[in-house]
Amino acid sequence: MLLIPCPHCGERPEIEFTYGGEAHLVRPADPSTLDDAAWADYLYMRSNTKGVHAERWRHARGCGRFFNALRDTTTDQFLASYRIGEPKPAIPTGDPR
Amino acid sequence: MSKQRFSALSLFRRALGGHRSWEPQWRKSEPQPAYDVVIVGGGGHGLGAAYYLAAEHRVGRIAVVEKGWIGGGNTGRNTTIIRSNYLFAESAALYDHSVKLWEGLSQVLNYNVMFSQRGVMMLAHTVHDVQVFKRHVHANRCSGVDNEWLTPEEAKAFCPPLNIDPDIRYPVLGAALQRRGGTARHDAVAWGYARAASELGVDIIENCEVTGIRRDAQGRVEGLETTRGSIRAGKVGVSAAGNTSAVLALAGVRLPLESYPLQALVSEPVKPIFPCVAMSNTIHAYVSQSDKGELVIGAGTDAYTSYTQRGALHINMHTLDAICELFPMFRRMRMMRNWGGIVDVTPDRSPIIAKTPVPGLYVNCGWGTGGFKATPGSAHLFAWTIAHDEPHPINAPFTIERFRDGHLIDEAAAAAVAH
């Protein structure tokens, strides 16, 4: 089970959280101006990163708040977590493994 | 290799020689400079595609490159359930194509894949389940796929270990049974295809990871960079399951995929006690008994995307809770091993077997949590697609563009869970 660093509450076990998928996907301001390919790209296409992945989590059984985190999907190690609205932090240097 | 065909007589002869005369069942190849078709991914789907390309389409020089060892990915990590009772006509046709190929596969490959049509029984626990499964039964009947409704008593008669007490947390309200469904031996599928493909001249290259996809000035695929050197290729078919997004990113192709860990576990081996495959989508329990005697148990996916081939224990515990309630006689069994595989999931839970925007590059992916059952059909249709540079009518709906055009084949909504 993962230990997930909530930026509000600190490290808590994974069962307190729900996963929110890839972070920083911005809903287009005016979808009606998009063609089908651009809209499908927003709805369905994902980077599915093998490596450091920016993703949303919600501390559903804790503070209830959404936040973003950087996790290495090849090790499941969390590298950073940050509040919604904060910019994505630089990836810490050095080999996380 | 033809000297090594399996028959009762050949087994008897080799037995007289103390079984010391067997040779390797397939060639381990070094990469050659160029091939007409290279398949990326040496699982059942990839090896099968190479076999059908060689056997049915005779496309010339074929290689399979595999970053680890053949059958070591999801082919060796699943719970071997085979069925075709999907809701939509497109899916039922696709998966039933596969079941029909399973039915003759051991003879075609001259390799016993131990396909056992012991029946797959899907349990309904809620009014919603009952309605959905009955809808499946009727839809399957229209598609010519066998699937029948069982009352709780009929379900218990078919599978005596089942607990149909009405006072358990998720009581059994009925079941959908596909009698043609069942299981097969996972390793034998990879090995059987590898042996048959190798016999037809296909090079199987293990420990060979793709690190780049080379394209010519027009954008067409012209080869691969690998950890064992450059390989020129007229066409490239990617059949890399959970790693598909990473491989196709090398050619700049984005896909509607997310890769999740899916876990399974086996018990200690016991005498034959469990006659069928039982599945409960609602409470995430999938169980059958292997011929070796182990209970083979499938759990759900973990919540997050990952490439680690492992998951969290609470996912397995959730499944074991359900199994212990549905089959109380298993409560004191010990579990021996658990593991995870990385499954590539599409938004509609239907696969993609298609051309990509890059000429000469094809992809077979998105099988999610249910790819093993489709191995022969998927491989057969992928080979067709590569050889003809256009999809077979059965896989024509399973494109990448369906997400752009709104033609989803939404088995996700149909089952409301992973499958």
Side-chain angles (χ1 to χ4, degrees):
Chain A
M1 187 181 299
L2 304 180
L3 267 182
I4 301 179
C6 171
H8 306 283
C9 310
E11 283 195 339
R12 297 295 177 88
E14 178 193 331
I15 49 172
E16 293 187 12
F17 296 82
T18 52
Y19 185 63
E22 187 173 341
H24 306 298
L25 298 174
V26 180
R27 184 182 168 90
D30 186 1
S32 64
T33 61
L34 299 182
D35 63 11
D36 289 349
W39 183 234
D41 193 70
Y42 165 70
L43 284 182
Y44 299 121
M45 300 297 168
R46 295 293 177 265
S47 61
N48 199 19
T49 308
K50 187 173 186 175
V52 178
H53 186 232
E55 58 194 16
R56 298 185 307 171
W57 287 88
R58 181 170 176 247
H59 195 183
R61 293 161 199 91
C63 64
R65 284 183 276 195
F66 274 97
F67 61 93
N68 291 328
L70 297 181
R71 181 176 53 92
D72 186 338
T73 59
T74 63
T75 61
D76 288 342
Q77 187 178 13
F78 281 89
L79 305 177
S81 69
Y82 50 105
R83 298 178 185 208
I84 294 291
E86 290 178 356
K88 185 164 123 180
I91 297 165
T93 51
D95 188 344
R97 278 154 284 182
Chain B
M1 290 263 171
S2 56
K3 280 185 297 188
Q4 291 204 84
R5 286 192 76 76
F6 292 116
S7 66
L9 186 63
S10 78
L11 289 176
F12 181 67
R13 278 202 186 128
R14 304 267 184 179
L16 289 181
H19 285 299
R20 280 186 296 270
S21 59
W22 292 106
E23 287 159 29
Q25 296 292 311
W26 65 88
R27 293 174 293 112
K28 301 226 179 222
S29 305
E30 294 297 314
Q32 301 301 307
Y35 292 95
D36 294 296
V37 179
V38 175
I39 302 290
V40 179
H45 290 241
L47 292 163
Y51 165 73
Y52 291 115
L53 279 167
E56 299 193 356
H57 304 290
R58 307 184 195 288
V59 295
R61 298 156 304 164
I62 304 164
V64 177
V65 296
E66 161 58 46
K67 76 178 162 74
W69 63 97
I70 62 167
N74 293 349
T75 299
R77 294 166 183 269
N78 67 90
T79 54
T80 75
I81 298 173
I82 295 165
R83 62 186 181 90
S84 62
N85 51 353
Y86 282 70
L87 179 64
F88 295 109
E90 296 91 338
S91 315
L94 175 64
Y95 290 100
D96 213 50
H97 180 62
S98 194
V99 169
K100 285 172 185 155
L101 288 171
W102 277 116
E103 286 170 339
L105 194 60
S106 292
Q107 283 71 35
V108 168
L109 298 181
N110 180 237
Y111 201 92
N112 187 3
V113 299
M114 297 166 77
F115 180 48
S116 159
Q117 291 177 297
R118 59 187 68 181
V120 173
M121 193 172 72
M122 302 172 72
L123 302 172
H125 303 282
T126 64
V127 171
H128 175 73
D129 281 354
V130 171
Q131 291 170 342
V132 166
F133 285 175
K134 284 186 174 174
R135 185 182 173 208
H136 274 71
V137 168
H138 298 315
N140 289 153
R141 196 166 52 201
C142 294
S143 298
V145 173
D146 75 302
N147 195 10
E148 61 193 91
W149 178 253
L150 303 182
T151 64
E153 292 73 24
E154 288 168 337
K156 186 166 177 68
F158 188 72
C159 182
L162 181 64
N163 179 7
I164 57 168
D165 283 352
D167 59 351
I168 62 175
R169 176 65 184 85
Y170 292 100
V172 175
L173 302 184
L177 171 64
Q178 185 175 28
R179 293 183 191 271
R180 286 163 66 235
T183 60
R185 167 110 170 92
H186 51 94
D187 287 332
V189 178
W191 298 339
Y193 274 125
R195 172 176 176 268
S198 177
E199 211 165 301
L200 294 170
V202 172
D203 281 358
I204 296 166
I205 305 160
E206 295 175 299
N207 300 309
C208 181
E209 183 171 359
V210 171
T211 55
I213 296 176
R214 275 211 319 276
R215 298 164 68 178
D216 66 16
Q218 283 74 45
R220 194 186 159 80
V221 162
E222 60 175 12
L224 296 170
E225 299 296 335
T226 77
T227 50
R228 295 181 67 178
S230 297
I231 302 173
R232 286 203 308 282
K235 293 177 176 180
V236 171
V238 176
S239 192
N243 285 292
T244 304
S245 293
V247 175
L248 284 205
L250 299 172
V253 176
R254 266 165 75 79
L255 290 168
L257 293 178
E258 290 188 297
S259 295
Y260 291 93
L262 177 67
Q263 296 184 76
L265 56 162
V266 293
S267 73
E268 57 192 336
V270 292
K271 288 183 178 177
I273 41 169
F274 201 77
C276 63
V277 180
M279 303 175 51
S280 170
N281 285 343
T282 301
I283 52 179
H284 279 305
Y286 309 87
V287 61
S288 65
Q289 188 175 18
S290 72
D291 291 349
K292 199 161 65 175
E294 300 159 327
L295 292 185
V296 182
I297 295 172
T301 50
D302 281 78
Y304 46 85
T305 63
S306 179
Y307 289 85
T308 58
Q309 293 188 318
R310 60 177 180 260
L313 190 62
H314 68 269
I315 303 287
N316 295 320
M317 296 301 293
H318 178 74
T319 287
L320 291 174
D321 284 347
I323 299 240
C324 288
E325 180 148 285
L326 290 171
F327 308 103
M329 72 181 197
F330 295 148
R331 280 183 182 166
R332 295 173 67 185
M333 274 186 95
R334 283 168 292 195
M335 295 298 134
M336 300 294 275
R337 301 187 301 281
N338 78 318
W339 63 88
I342 300 303
V343 299
D344 44 327
V345 178
T346 58
D348 63 0
R349 302 297 187 276
S350 287
I352 294 166
I353 313 174
K355 299 166 71 168
T356 69
V358 177
L361 183 64
Y362 307 83
V363 69
N364 178 10
C365 65
W367 291 96
T369 58
F372 180 78
K373 66 172 79 68
T375 304
S378 150
H380 185 251
L381 298 169
F382 194 39
W384 173 286
T385 304
I386 293 169
H388 292 80
D389 193 37
E390 62 179 348
H392 185 281
I394 295 176
N395 66 305
F398 295 89
T399 60
I400 305 171
E401 291 75 25
R402 73 175 185 267
F403 295 97
R404 179 195 69 200
D405 300 337
H407 295 152
L408 303 193
I409 303 157
D410 204 350
E411 297 289 343
V417 294
H419 51 113

